[in-house]
Amino acid sequence: MLNTTAFGESLNRLGYSFFSGVPCSLLKSLINYAMNECRYVIAANEGDAVACCAGSYLAGGKAVFLCQNSGLGNAVSPLASLCHPFHIPVLGFVSLRGDPNEQDEPQHQLMGKITPSLLDHLQITWNYLSFDQQEAQQQLLQADQAIQQKKSFFFIIRKNQFDPVALLPAVDTLQGDGDPRLMLKNRLKRQEILHRIVKDKDQDTIVLATTGYTSRELYAIEDSPQHFYMVGSMGCVSSLALGIALCCPGKKVVAIDGDGALLMRMGNMASIGYHQPNNLLHIVLDNEIHESTGGQASVAKHVNFAAIAAELHYRATFNVNDMANFSRIFQDFIKQPQLSFMDVKTQAGVLEHLPRPRMQPPDLAERFKKAL
Ligand SMILES: Cc1ncc(C[n+]2csc(CCOP(=O)(O)OP(=O)(O)O)c2C)c(N)n1
């Protein structure tokens, strides 16, 4: 295991003090170091993180891109059509979920297998980062030489690569100091909302849950053929819901999003507003952090999602802070559906001993299809 702080300081000594990325639990320590000690841009998705690093390079800096390999897909376009043609080098650290030598979740298997070849196809030189501190330092020097020759270089990061670094309270760039996590205490819990949805839905209601803890908690609270646990493809739950809502007008479709996931593909909301499915309720469980990957802040704190939804032509939009309100709005939707949006402020916290869906994804999809 590498000493994260020493490794981070080596990066800094080589001039890498600008970081951008999207969190992954395998990169948690390096991200925490970057958030605590360096300039870290919280990107909405991995492609934007690459472009932001490219901007820092054009401004004379040296930038580090951090992402989970599931986000490499989001990064392909700017890597291939910005960094490559303009000879803009990026130093990348990409985690290896779905490592063929480890047990991991089904949604990571394919990307785990193809991560090295995907980097090869992108003509990016890469290496597995060593677990040995001195060797890792040497690898870093080699990577820096590639960057100086205007060639991107990526490290593939495996499980338990970095020792723990605690995340310091975030500096709120809009309102002075403050840790977003501390202000969440009196808010609703994700599990309370999910319990209520499960209790109040009727037989025509379909519930789709976003990536991470939301899918896992919904499954833990109740498994049902009317549920879809969208364990991968972060940010896509509302588009999945849009397709279903348009094709199944007799169903009431509830899409449960996270703030990080919603921000990752916020353009979805414009498509939903344009197509006006009157049987769709889009809920964001807004804890202002990426809780599933270690609690790193998202940029949701100052975003009024409900106001944005209203501008994008959702018919009914709500900011929700208490259960009575949530329950009333949810029951109204079940009785008389209309294109609706709820921004529910939630606090951090997750059910203990959280299971992962036991059924294999193809079986879940078939079961869900039948329910539709
Ligand atoms: C494209 C992509 N990037 C990153 C990840 C890793 N990841 C899984 S869940 C998650 C955090 C989601 O945050 P949010 O939507 O706010 O939900 P919360 O975890 O707070 O419930 C991240 C970054 C992923 N699965 N896919």
Side-chain angles (χ1 to χ4, degrees), residues 22-25 45-46 67-74 97 107-108 190 210-214 231-235 257-262 264-265 285-294 296 298:
V22 177
C24 169
S25 50
N45 73 56
E46 292 80 0
C67 88
Q68 181 172 100
N69 54 347
S70 58
L72 260 187
N74 286 337
R97 290 298 306 261
Q107 69 272 20
H108 293 297
R190 185 199 292 109
T210 184
T211 319
Y213 287 154
T214 301
V231 287
S233 59
M234 180 174 163
D257 228 331
D259 49 286
L262 178 55
M264 182 167 272
R265 288 179 182 262
L285 300 183
D286 184 6
N287 57 12
E288 299 168 9
I289 54 175
H290 297 98
E291 188 171 19
S292 307
T293 47
Q296 307 87 351
S298 76

Side-chain angles (χ1 to χ4, degrees), residues 229-295:
Y229 315 108
M230 199 201 67
V231 287
S233 59
M234 180 174 163
C236 291
V237 78
S238 60
S239 291
L240 187 65
L242 174 61
I244 294 169
L246 292 174
C247 297
C248 295
K251 296 286 181 193
K252 292 156 236 178
V253 183
V254 178
I256 312 171
D257 228 331
D259 49 286
L262 178 55
L263 286 161
M264 182 167 272
R265 288 179 182 262
M266 207 151 122
N268 299 352
M269 292 175 72
S271 297
I272 291 169
Y274 184 87
H275 289 284
Q276 285 290 307
N278 60 11
N279 52 341
L280 176 60
L281 168 60
H282 187 180
I283 299 172
V284 57
L285 300 183
D286 184 6
N287 57 12
E288 299 168 9
I289 54 175
H290 297 98
E291 188 171 19
S292 307
T293 47

